[in-house]
Each structure stands twice: as structure tokens, then as C-alpha cells.
């Protein structure tokens, strides 16, 4: 045998090698297949003729179903590496599916392939030996193993995860001391401890509050008997997160068995249901409250049977309709307000369609009072969808309606307010401005309000105030009020408004949502102020320039103001006159009288008038007439006096001169009258002596005219004396009645027409000037005669009343008009009108009489009916006998 | 006409009064002397009147002073003095000064005559 290996033998080796081999050319990108061995053909289900001379990737295209392997790119890369590095390049465990002959299918294949370059003498790569090993089975086995491992791992993780993340607490407690062996976070949480604080510890050491509450017995039972225990909503007091609370738990105790079935502990599965229990308790509480509330808010319930039209109503329902207890349905129906009855009917009809009943109607109770009722209900259907009944509630909403009414009024109030009212949103736009505001700022309509930002309502310089002062203040303090300048949208006029604005917060979140503002146009006020200032200035000028002194006092009579005139007169400082300082300038003799008069008038709040003398700055004495009137503030409260003070020195002087003149003149008249009287009386005597009776009578009449003249002169003198305070009295005690009797007798002698009827009751002694009082009586009687020309009688009555001696003279004459009664005692008052000229006189008699009686400490008065007559009376104090 | 021997003196600064009263008193039978100057009364000699009608206010002298002087002097103190005045207010001071009676002007002649007669009738 020839042991030399024949050269064609290598070819046999190649073809017969069990390792698949393919000879690939270096003609990239074709990589033409040059030769192939049998193993390769077998492995790739190909035939030699399919391969030789063909490009490798033409025969072995990529599996369109395998988008991940990128096998062609990997093979090309390997070829290139082998050619480039001229050493073997190996690809491990890559997928390269091969087509299944006769089909478009591919067979999944995994390969480990080496590409070995074959070099020539010049070290050039002649071709590549591509030698793939089919590792598909191996690879798949590995893959399956890995998948099994992964699955186990995953399952383990899932279990762990379930255990750890289960929403229920799970724990394993081992041995008779129940040492925590395993415990998941929910159970830790339930116990209020960390895992570390629990693991390896006796559970009742860690949770002392749970000790002695029966749990030990339960656990022992499970551990010793193997019978599980289930507990529901058990309350456990527990110190959690620093506070003791009752934790409610649903739990199961299961025995923990080892693989040999011995029980070594207890599995605890626990769910905390505290919130659930609390919620349940709360629900019960709410239900209870609702029941109470339903009664409290007066909800009545009803159930209307739609088949019979009968209604079952609660007592409260009946009460809403004004009945004490539930009544048949008709009783309720007849109470509906006729205007609202159609509403109720319609609501009932609608309910059958919509399934819901709702209406608000007025009802009129039997006592005629009107009430608003709201009814709400739900239609109940049978299985065929046919409505059976309506159940619902009724509520008296009279108050609500009224408040809605109030709200409407409020809105109307806002809309009709003369002040601007607005709501400014946080985005700088107003959401509302009332009508007055729209007019004030020149908005055309409500819509324009929404589209004009607040920045357009102020000129830029005034907007600064809004931005820097107003809004920050409102945001920080909730309010701002003050003057701001706004701009009219149409005219562009800037004008001041007084703004009172406030923050409006969301009632729920408390976040500011808008700014409410109430603004008033200040222009009228400013104009009024300016006018007031002008008029104040004017008044000041007037009061300063006033020729009269002006003054004011407070309600206590303390002077609070004197004008410049008074200050100038008295040469004092303004302040020195305040309070009662002004009295210091009144002369000593008058001061107390004036002060008393003023204080008394202030007390009585009556008009004040007094004359006094003051010392002027130059030391001269001036007469003043002070007047004051009480004044009242706007609330009608007495606020003091406002008054004036006139310098009447000149009038006083003139009056004095007049009195002096009348006094002197009257006095000087007396001498010639005396002389004339003398001559007349002698003449009368002489004429009588010579028997010339007629001539003597004429002279006698002349003498009686002289008596009238004398009387007039006497009156004038009396008046001047009264005015100057020089009327003198020669007072002494005298019997009143005899004096009256003598006078009446004397007067009767000279009166022929009237008869005097004298009623003299017991009187007594009077202290006074007998002649002056007689003068008064004479005056009253002569007046009675004078003013009752058509009457025949005059009644004179004396009496004692209340410790006073009174005398009345009653005539039946012309009387005095009611409105003149209080004038008859005034100086120079005379009967006026057509009758005036019928009754000559100076009008001094009653004035003098009244002055005399007053000076004697008595009273004088008159009662009169016009056309019927008058009764003049006076009263004087009676002197006690003892 | 039983009073011829009685002399009445009138002192008044008004000639009309003097004239009128003189006529009246003379007509009633009195012997009348008169003076316009009250001061003259302070120098009355031995020829004293039986009654003096004295005006209160006379130019140059107050009638009440004259009255008081005459009433304070021995020869004249017994002469009744009737003081006359236009003012009633003077009455008290006149009587104070020693006057025996007071008449207010204007008076009735009969009143004057009856007063005069009361003292020297």
C-alpha cells in the first residue's frame, strides 16, 4: 500500500469533511461562491449547481421576517475583516435563517462561523474559507434555559413585590413569643413602626398597647390547633406617629406550616379599615343628622300614587300647608294660588316625561297667609317602565323667596345708586359697572365695560397711583379709600372721585378674585366746598364789618364766639370774651342783672333781650341792646344762642333827651296852666257875682278842659318818670275798700250817663301808694266809661283771692279783639281801626296803670269779648292782719 | 270879708302866678304882697306876713332852703308856709323843710283858698 497521501486526497477531505465549508471569492460586493463541500450543501438544503459561480447573498438572502439579526451586514463585516487582517474572523451565535426549498418560508438557524483567508506567495488573499457550524439547537437550548431562569426570577420578584407591595398587611410571626420573621410595609404602617423596629422582635414587646386584649389567646389557638381565625373591624388602641388612636382592622390568622407540616408560627394578614369604619360611623352620623335636619329645616315628604292619585304625606308636609296632621290630597291642592296652579299641573306633566318633579308655587293657608313651597320628586316606574308613583320632598321657601326678593332689591339698589359701583377683575378689566358709574365715566353700554381695561379710565400719571398705591393696599390690607383721579372716556376730562374699594376673595380658596369699588364724583362736593369757603369768607367779612356786635353761646350759656366789632368796642382780646369773660366789660351796676337774665333765659331756652352799659376801650360808657335767640342743630338739639348786640347809646341819649324834654315841657306847662286856671276860676266867680250866669258857665267849661289838659300833662310826666325809673312811690298800709268806695263816689259825681255798681266783698289792708293805686282805679273806671258809650252800667268788684286783694272793673262796651289783648298794656297803644278817632287819648293810661301795679308787686290783666265788653282787673298782695 | 287885716305874701319867679294869685287872694279879702326873688325872703324886716305862699323852684334859690331858714329863725318861725310846686315829688322834702302844707300845680283855687283860710282864717 502506498502510504503517500495523494494530492487529490485533499479534495476528498474538503468534499467529505463533516464541517460545512464554502469557498468565497474576494470580489466584493458579490462574494462569488467558488466551491462548496457536501456538509455545507446538507446544512443549507442546497445543491452544488445552485451555488457555484453565484453571489453568496443572492442564494442566501435575508429572512424578511428577521429584522433584528442584520446577518448580511455581519457576514460582510466578517469577510472584510478577514480580507483586511488576513487572519480568521469568527462570528459567534448569530442568526442566519435559510430558505426552505419549495417554499417562501425560512428556517430559523443560529450559526457560529469562521471566515479564513487563503493567501498566495505574495500574501494576497486568494479566497475565503467560510465555515459555519449550525449551533441552532444549542442556541435554542441555551435560550430556553435562560428563559426558564428569567421566568423564575421574575416570579420570585413578583412574589416579593406582591408581598411587599400588597395593600394588605402580611406578616409571619414565629414561636410562642410571636417573633416577627417577615413583615411587609403595609403591616409596618398599620403597626406604626419601621420594619427594623419589628423584625426579630417579640410582637407584643413592640406593641405593648395591644397586649392583654385577647390577641395572645387567638394567636395561640391558631398556632396550637391549626384552625384559622378571622376577625372583622376590631378596634385596637395603638400609639402611631406619636399619638394614640383606635385602629380598626380586618384580619386573618393562618397557621404557618413548615415543609414537614409542623406549625411553627402564625401568618397574619391584616387590612386596616379605620377609615372605612370611621366613614361608616360618619355615614351613620350623617344619616342621623339628615333625619334631624330634614325635620329641622322643615322638609315634608310625600308619596303620590299615580294610579289612584292619592298621596301619603308626612306630618311636616301637612305643617307646610298649615295643617296639624296629614290630610287627603285634595286638602293641599285647594290651597294653591290660582296663578300658580297651572305651574304645578305643568310640573306634574313634565315629571312623567323627565322622571323628575320640580316646582315652586305659592299656597294660601287657611289663615289667608301666603307661603312659597318648593316640591321636588322622583318618578318611580314599574318593570315595564310605566310610572307608578312620585316620591319627594316639599319645603317652605317663603323666607328664601323673600331674601331673593331682597337680593333683587339690592341689585336694583346698586344699579340705581347715584354712586359708581364696580367690580374689577384681577386681569385689569371691569366685570361690572352700574349705570351711574357708566354714565360718570362715559361708557356707551354694559358691553363696553367688559372691553375697556382699567388703564383707559385713568391718565397715565394717575394710573400710577392706582398701580402703586391703591391696588397694593387693597391686596395687602383688603381695603383702600381715598381720592383718585379718573378720566372720562369720551371727553377725556380728569376729575376726582372718592373711592372706597375692597378686596373680594374666593369664598372657598380665599384667593382674591376681584376688587369691589364704590366711588363718588367729588366735583359737586368740591364746588359746594368752594362755594362754602366763599360764603364763609363773605360771612366773616360781614360779621367783621357788622355795625352790631355778634355773639354765639353754647347750650350752657358760655360764649363761644364774639365778632371783631365787640372786640373793637371793648378793646379786649377775642379770647378774653369767651365763657363768661364778656361780662367783665359790663358796668358793675348792670353786670349781675344781665348775667342772671341771660342764664335764666338759657335755662328756659327763650328769646333773650336785655339792655346794659359797657365800658368802651376809650373808657366811655355805651348803652347796648343785646338780643339772642336759641338755636338748634340739625338734629333739633338745643345748641346754644346766636345773638347780636347793638350800640343804642345814641337812641338812649335821644330817648333821655325826649324824656327830659317831655318832663321839662310838662313841668313848664304846669305853671301857665295854673295861671290860666287861676284867672278862669276868678273870672267865673266874678261873672257869677255880677249875675252873668251864661258867661260864668262858659268859663267853667273852659276850666274842665283845663282839667283834661292837666291830666294829659300828668300822664306824660308819669311816663317819662317810668321810662327813666324815677316814678316815686309813697308806700304805706291802707284799707283797700274805703279807698275804693271814696273814689267811686267821687267819680260817680262827675259821671251822669253811667251808673257804677260797686260789689265790695271783704278785702283788707294793702301796702302801697294810695294815690297811685287810686290813679289806677280811676284810669280803669274812666276807660270803662269811655269805651262803653252805649252802656249804662259799670260793675266794680273787690275781693280777696289767694291772699291777694283784687279789683275788677267790668264794662259792656266795645271790647277788645283777641289778638290785641296783650297789647293794651303797652305804651302808646290805642284802640285802632275805624273807631280810633272816636276815642281820643295818648294811649298812656293803661301803660302807666300796669307799671304802677307791677311796681307795687301786683298783677294786672284783662278779659274781653269784642262787642260784648271788657273786664280789667288787678291784684295786690294782701298784708296779713298780724 | 273878715280877713282884711291878714297879709299873705307870695314868692314865685313867675309873674303870671304872682298876678293871678294876688287877684284871687285880694278878691277873697286878703292883703297881698309878692316878690319874684326868693332871696328877698331872707331879709324880711319887721313887716312880717301872716302866711307865706312859697314856690319850690325859683331862680337863684331853692324854696325849701328858704322855708327851712324861715322856720329856723325866731321872728319868722311862726309864719305858716304853704309850699307850691309843679312836682308832686317835692312834697315830702317840702314838708321835711318845715312847710305847713303843700300844693301841686296846677291846683284848684278853692283848694288854695281853703288851705290859706285853714291857717289864717
Amino acid at each position: 500500500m502506498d502510504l503517500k497521501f495523494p494530492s487529490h486526497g485533499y479534495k476528498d477531505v474538503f468534499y467529505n469533511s463533516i464541517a460545512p465549508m464554502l469557498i468565497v471569492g474576494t470580489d466584493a460586493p458579490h462574494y462569488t461562491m467558488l466551491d462548496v463541500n457536501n456538509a455545507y450543501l446538507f446544512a443549507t438544503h442546497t445543491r452544488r449547481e445552485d451555488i457555484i459561480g453565484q453571489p453568496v447573498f443572492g442564494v442566501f438572502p435575508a429572512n424578511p421576517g428577521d429584522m433584528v439579526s442584520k446577518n448580511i451586514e455581519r457576514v460582510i463585516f466578517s469577510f472584510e475583516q478577514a480580507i483586511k487582517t488576513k487572519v480568521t474572523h469568527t462570528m459567534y451565535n448569530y442568526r442566519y435563517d435559510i430558505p426552505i426549498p419549495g417554499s417562501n418560508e425560512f428556517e430559523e438557524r443560529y450559526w457560529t462561523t469562521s471566515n479564513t483567508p487563503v493567501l498566495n506567495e505574495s500574501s494576497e488573499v486568494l479566497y475565503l474559507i467560510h465555515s459555519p457550524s449550525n449551533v441552532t439547537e444549542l442556541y435554542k437550548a441555551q435560550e430556553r434555559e435562560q428563559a426558564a431562569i428569567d421566568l423564575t426570577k421574575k416570579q420570585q420578584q413578583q412574589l416579593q413585590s406582591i408581598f411587599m407591595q400588597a395593600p394588605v398587611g402580611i406578616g409571619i410571626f414565629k414561636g410562642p413569643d410571636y417573633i416577627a420573621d417577615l413583615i411587609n410595609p403595609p403591616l409596618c404602617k398599620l403597626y406604626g413602626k419601621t420594619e427594623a423596629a419589628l423584625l426579630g422582635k417579640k410582637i407584643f414587646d413592640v406593641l405593648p398597647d395591644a397586649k392583654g386584649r385577647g390577641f395572645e389567646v387567638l394567636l395561640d389557638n391558631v398556632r396550637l390547633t391549626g384552625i384559622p381565625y378571622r376577625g372583622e373591624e376590631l378596634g385596637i388602641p395603638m400609639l402611631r406617629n406619636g399619638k394614640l388612636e383606635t385602629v380598626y382592622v380586618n384580619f386573618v390568622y393562618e397557621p404557618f406550616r413548615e415543609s414537614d407540616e409542623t406549625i411553627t408560627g402564625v401568618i397574619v394578614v391584616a387590612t386596616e379599615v379605620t377609615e372605612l369604619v370611621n366613614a361608616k360611623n360618619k355615614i351613620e352620623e350623617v344619616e342621623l343628622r339628615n333625619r334631624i335636619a330634614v325635620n329641622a329645616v322643615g322638609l315634608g315628604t310625600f308619596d303620590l300614587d299615580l294610579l289612584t292619585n292619592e298621596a301619603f304625606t308626612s306630618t311636616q308636609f301637612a305643617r307646610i300647608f298649615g295643617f296639624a296632621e296629614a290630610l287627603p290630597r285634595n286638602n293641599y291642592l285647594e290651597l294653591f294660588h290660582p296663578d300658580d296652579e297651572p305651574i304645578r299641573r305643568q310640573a306634574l306633566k313634565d315629571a312623567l316625561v323627565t322622571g323628575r318633579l320640580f316646582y315652586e308655587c305659592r299656597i294660601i293657608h287657611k289663615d289667608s297667609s301666603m307661603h312659597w313651597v318648593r316640591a321636588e320628586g322622583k318618578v318611580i316606574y314599574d318593570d315595564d317602565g310605566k310610572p307608578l308613583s312620585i316620591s319627594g320632598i316639599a319645603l317652605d321657601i317663603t323666607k328664601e323667596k323673600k331674601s331673593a326678593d331682597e337680593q333683587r332689591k339690592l341689585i336694583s339698589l346698586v344699579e340705581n345708586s347715584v354712586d359708581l359701583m364696580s367690580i374689577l377683575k384681577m386681569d385689569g378689566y371691569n366685570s361690572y359697572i352700574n349705570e351711574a358709574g357708566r354714565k360718570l365715566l362715559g361708557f356707551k353700554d354694559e358691553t363696553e365695560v367688559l372691553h375697556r381695561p382699567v388703564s383707559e379710565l385713568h391718565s397715565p400719571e394717575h394710573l400710577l397711583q392706582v398701580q402703586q398705591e391703591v391696588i397694593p393696599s387693597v391686596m395687602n390690607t383688603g381695603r383702600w379709600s381715598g381720592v383718585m383721579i379718573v378720566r372720562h372716556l369720551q371727553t377725556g376730562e380728569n376729575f376726582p372721585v372718592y373711592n372706597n374699594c375692597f378686596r373680594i376673595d374666593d369664598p372657598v380658596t380665599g384667593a382674591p378674585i376681584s376688587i369691589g369699588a364704590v366711588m363718588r364724583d367729588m366735583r359737586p362736593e368740591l364746588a359746594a366746598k368752594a362755594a362754602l369757603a366763599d360764603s364763609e369768607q363773605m360771612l366773616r367779612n360781614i360779621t367783621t364789618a357788622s355795625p352790631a356786635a355778634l355773639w354765639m353761646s353754647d347750650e350752657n350759656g358760655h360764649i363761644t364766639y364774639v365778632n371783631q366789632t365787640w372786640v373793637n368796642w371793648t378793646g379786649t382780646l377775642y379770647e378774653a370774651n369767651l365763657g363768661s369773660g364778656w361780662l367783665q366789660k359790663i358796668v358793675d351796676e348792670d353786670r349781675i342783672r344781665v348775667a342772671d337774665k341771660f342764664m335764666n333765659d338759657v335755662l328756659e331756652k327763650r328769646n333773650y333781650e336785655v339792655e346794659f352799659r359797657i365800658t368802651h376801650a376809650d373808657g366811655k360808657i355805651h348803652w347796648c341792646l343785646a338780643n339772642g335767640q336759641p338755636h338748634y342743630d340739625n338734629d333739633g338739639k338745643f345748641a346754644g344762642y346766636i345773638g347780636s348786640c347793638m350800640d343804642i347809646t345814641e337812641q338812649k341819649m335821644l330817648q333821655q333827651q325826649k324824656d327830659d324834654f317831655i318832663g321839662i315841657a310838662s313841668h313848664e306847662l304846669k305853671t301857665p296852666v295854673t295861671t290860666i286856671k287861676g284867672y278862669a276860676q276868678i273870672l267865673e266867680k266874678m261873672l257869677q257875682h255880677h249875675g252873668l250866669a251864661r258867661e260864668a258857665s262858659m268859663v267853667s267849661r273852659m276850666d274842665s278842659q283845663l282839667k283834661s289838659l292837666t291830666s294829659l300833662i300828668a300822664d306824660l310826666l308819669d311816663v317819662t318818670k317810668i321810662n327813666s325809673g324815677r316814678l316815686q312811690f309813697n308806700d304805706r298800709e291802707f284799707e283797700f275798700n274805703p279807698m275804693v268806695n271814696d273814689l267811686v263816689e267821687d267819680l260817680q259825681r262827675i259821671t251822669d250817663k253811667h251808673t257804677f255798681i260797686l260789689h265790695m266783698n271783704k278785702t283788707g289792708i294793702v301796702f302801697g301808694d294810695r294815690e297811685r293805686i287810686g290813679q289806677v282805679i280811676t284810669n280803669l273806671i274812666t276807660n270803662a266809661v269811655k269805651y262803653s258809650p252805649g252802656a249804662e252800667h259799670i260793675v266794680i268788684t273787690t275781693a280777696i283771692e289767694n291772699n291777694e286783694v283784687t279789683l275788677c272793673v267790668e264794662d259792656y262796651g266795645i271790647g277788645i279783639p283777641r289778638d290785641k289783648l296783650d297789647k293794651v298794656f303797652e305804651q302808646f297803644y290805642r284802640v285802632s281801626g275805624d273807631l280810633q278817632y272816636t276815642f281820643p287819648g295818648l294811649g298812656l293810661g293803661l301803660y302807666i296803670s300796669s307799671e304802677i301795679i307791677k311796681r307795687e308787686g301786683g298783677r294786672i290783666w284783662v278779659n274781653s269779648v269784642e262787642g260784648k265788653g271788657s273786664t280789667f282787673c288787678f291784684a295786690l298782695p294782701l298784708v296779713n292782719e298780724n | 270879708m273878715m280877713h282884711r287885716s291878714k297879709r299873705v305874701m307870695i314868692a314865685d319867679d313867675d309873674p303870671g302866678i304872682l298876678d293871678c294869685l294876688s287877684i284871687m287872694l285880694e278878691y277873697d279879702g286878703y292883703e297881698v304882697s309878692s316878690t319874684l326873688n326868693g332871696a328877698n325872703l331872707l331879709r324880711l324886716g319887721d313887716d312880717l306876713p301872716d302866711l307865706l305862699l312859697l314856690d319850690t323852684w325859683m331862680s337863684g334859690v331853692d324854696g325849701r332852703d328858704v322855708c327851712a331858714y324861715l322856720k329856723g329863725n325866731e321872728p319868722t318861725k311862726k309864719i305858716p308856709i304853704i309850699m307850691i310846686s309843679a312836682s308832686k315829688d317835692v312834697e315830702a322834702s317840702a314838708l321835711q323843710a318845715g312847710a305847713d302844707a303843700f300844693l301841686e300845680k296846677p291846683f284848684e283855687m278853692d283848694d288854695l283858698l281853703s288851705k290859706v283860710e285853714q291857717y289864717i282864717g
Side-chain angles (χ1 to χ4, degrees), chain A residues 326-339:
Chain A
L327 291 172
R329 187 169 173 236
N330 278 347
N331 291 286
Y332 304 124
L333 293 183
E334 64 187 29
L335 298 188
F336 277 82
H337 194 288
D339 293 352

Side-chain angles (χ1 to χ4, degrees), chain A residues 26-132:
Chain A
T26 57
D27 56 334
H30 304 294
Y31 298 107
T32 307
M33 294 179 285
L34 301 174
D35 204 350
V36 66
N37 73 354
N38 297 328
Y40 189 90
L41 294 171
F42 176 76
T44 58
H45 309 304
T46 49
R47 288 174 301 167
R48 188 175 299 273
E49 54 269 33
D50 298 332
I51 301 283
I52 304 298
Q54 298 296 321
V56 67
F57 301 112
V59 177
F60 301 105
N63 178 2
D66 174 19
M67 304 301 287
V68 288
S69 302
K70 297 191 186 315
N71 41 10
I72 290 177
E73 287 92 329
R74 286 182 72 179
V75 173
I76 290 171
F77 174 76
S78 187
F79 287 166
E80 285 171 352
Q81 284 297 307
I83 292 165
K84 197 170 136 191
T85 60
K86 299 178 170 50
V87 295
T88 303
H89 184 266
T90 306
M91 298 183 290
Y92 297 97
N93 294 333
Y94 72 99
R95 180 175 168 184
Y96 204 132
D97 298 348
I98 54 168
I100 298 168
S103 78
N104 294 323
E105 302 291 303
F106 284 77
E107 184 179 328
E108 186 180 346
R109 284 288 174 84
Y110 291 85
W111 308 91
T112 292
T113 302
S114 57
N115 291 307
T116 307
V118 177
L119 309 178
N120 62 10
E121 290 83 2
S122 6
S123 286
E124 289 162 345
V125 177
L126 292 173
Y127 47 84
L128 294 168
I129 301 168
H130 175 73
S131 177

Side-chain angles (χ1 to χ4, degrees), chain A residues 619-683:
Chain A
K620 284 187 181 153
I621 304 294
H622 283 247
W623 273 95
C624 286
L625 169 64
N627 273 299
Q629 285 188 328
H631 92 104
Y632 297 85
D633 62 20
N634 291 337
D635 302 331
K637 194 170 153 271
F638 172 59
Y641 274 67
I642 297 179
S644 65
C645 197
M646 310 259 289
D647 189 320
I648 54 163
T649 311
E650 199 160 336
Q651 288 97 304
K652 274 279 173 189
M653 213 172 66
L654 288 172
Q655 195 181 345
Q656 185 61 50
Q657 283 173 349
K658 178 203 76 182
D659 285 345
D660 288 351
F661 170 77
I662 293 173
I664 291 165
S666 312
H667 189 259
E668 292 305 315
L669 278 173
K670 279 185 174 181
T671 303
V673 167
T674 308
T675 312
I676 295 167
K677 248 179 124 60
Y679 286 128
Q681 286 176 4
I682 297 163
L683 193 55

Side-chain angles (χ1 to χ4, degrees), chain A residues 667 670-675 677-679 681-682 685-686 689 703 707 710 717 721 726 728 771-772, chain B residues 14 16-17 19-20 23-24 27-28 57 85-89 91 104-110 113:
Chain A
H667 189 259
K670 279 185 174 181
T671 303
V673 167
T674 308
T675 312
K677 248 179 124 60
Y679 286 128
Q681 286 176 4
I682 297 163
K685 276 186 183 174
M686 287 175 171
H689 187 70
D703 187 51
K707 279 201 178 80
T710 306
L717 264 174
K721 282 178 188 168
R726 285 180 296 164
Q728 290 186 6
E771 283 183 47
R772 286 292 186 190
Chain B
D14 185 274
I17 291 284
D19 181 49
C20 160
I23 294 170
M24 169 93 69
Y27 189 78
D28 218 36
W57 289 314
S85 174
S87 173
K88 171 105 171 100
D89 301 337
E91 182 174 8
E104 184 190 352
K105 290 179 189 172
F107 44 81
E108 298 298 317
M109 290 307 145
D110 285 347
L113 292 175

Side-chain angles (χ1 to χ4, degrees), chain A residues 783 785-789 814 830-831 835-842:
Chain A
N783 275 348
V785 170
K786 185 173 169 186
Y787 293 110
S788 61
I814 61 169
R830 299 181 61 214
V831 174
L835 299 171
Q836 178 173 350
Y837 303 104
T838 320
F839 305 102
L842 291 177

